Amino acid sequence: MLRESAGEEEGVDLDGDVLDTPFLELGYDSLALLQVIGEVQRTYGISVPDDAVVDAETPRALLELINSAQGEAA
């Protein structure tokens, strides 16, 4: 979804082990993350607060946020 929503920074391999790599190092800013969350909300119906997304600094933190929001919705 990162690639689809915000592209991929040249020289960054998102297929590698990037779960704990800060989004800034991956070339993604808060706007890119909000685009991804918008896609998650449209595709899966999972509601994630925008202010919580800004605090997610790594892909792992973002996944944990999405998973916890999914658990709350269930």
Side-chain angles (χ1 to χ4, degrees), residues 3 35 61 68 71:
R3 283 187 193 112
Q35 290 175 327
S68 68

Side-chain angles (χ1 to χ4, degrees), residues 5-70:
S5 296
E8 184 174 356
E9 184 80 14
E10 187 174 323
V12 174
D13 179 16
L14 293 179
D15 293 323
D17 184 17
V18 297
L19 281 176
D20 295 312
T21 304
F23 280 117
L24 289 178
E25 288 182 29
L26 297 173
Y28 296 107
D29 59 12
S30 58
L31 180 58
L33 297 181
L34 291 174
Q35 290 175 327
V36 170
I37 288 301
E39 183 66 25
V40 167
Q41 290 174 343
R42 285 187 296 279
T43 303
Y44 300 105
I46 299 170
S47 181
V48 180
D50 290 346
D51 57 339
V53 173
V54 176
D55 293 334
E57 296 181 2
T58 65
R60 182 183 309 276
L62 185 61
L63 287 171
E64 289 172 356
L65 181 64
I66 292 168
N67 287 335
S68 68
Q70 180 182 13

